[in-house]
Amino acid sequence: NVFWAIASLKSEAPELNALLPKLVETAKWTARDMQAQGVANIIWACATTELSSSQLNGFLPWMLERLVDRADELKPQEIANCVWASARLRTQAPEMLEMMPVLVEMAQDQASKFRAQEVSNMIWAAATPAVTIHR
């Protein structure tokens, strides 16, 4: 996933950020064909690369729709990453917070499979101001 690679390399190769506008446009049209892991990676990358609100608004609805479609395929790391990203993007993309109930339900179903880092990400998100995780 190119989004994931750019987000992972952002401090070592900031010039790659110039690719983001084209990737955002492409992702809108390819979202329906993406697997759960790819969508989760893109959502994590959005929070990591700190895309602008206008860039997020241009394609996040497509990603969120696909995330809902594929929610039952999410693994613990993908769930935790999406919850973390939702908390991180709470002001730029408040619609991410609307995903919390779905993600929390998925986390509850797979709680025994969560590793320490994934639990830590969930706790951080729950402790983030303006984020409410309902059971």
Side-chain angles (χ1 to χ4, degrees):
N1 187 307
V2 178
F3 269 100
W4 178 86
I6 290 172
S8 296
L9 293 171
K10 75 176 186 177
S11 63
E12 295 172 32
E15 63 276 6
L16 291 175
N17 285 337
L19 298 174
L20 288 173
K22 279 287 190 201
L23 289 172
V24 164
E25 191 60 33
T26 302
K28 280 196 308 195
W29 307 112
T30 59
R32 70 179 174 277
D33 299 322
M34 290 182 187
Q35 300 299 315
Q37 181 180 5
V39 175
N41 286 347
I42 288 173
I43 290 172
W44 173 85
C46 287
T48 303
T49 58
E50 300 172 6
L51 291 172
S52 70
S53 293
S54 62
Q55 288 174 311
L56 290 169
N57 292 333
F59 89 111
L60 247 176
W62 302 79
M63 293 294 110
L64 295 177
E65 182 179 325
R66 188 60 174 161
L67 188 65
V68 169
D69 291 345
R70 297 288 188 158
D72 60 331
E73 298 172 19
L74 292 171
K75 296 176 185 147
Q77 181 178 353
E78 296 156 0
I79 295 167
N81 287 350
C82 287
V83 169
W84 176 87
S86 295
R88 181 91 190 257
L89 293 170
R90 69 192 177 282
T91 54
Q92 297 130 297
E95 63 273 16
M96 286 293 298
L97 295 177
E98 295 171 15
M99 290 299 305
M100 283 293 199
V102 172
L103 294 168
V104 169
E105 183 178 329
M106 297 304 301
Q108 288 172 333
D109 292 345
Q110 298 187 43
S112 65
K113 299 176 187 173
F114 274 66
R115 296 175 301 180
Q117 182 64 51
E118 295 150 357
V119 172
S120 176
N121 287 355
M122 298 286 288
I123 292 169
W124 178 86
T128 301
V131 175
T132 303
I133 296 180
H134 299 285
R135 286 186 45 151

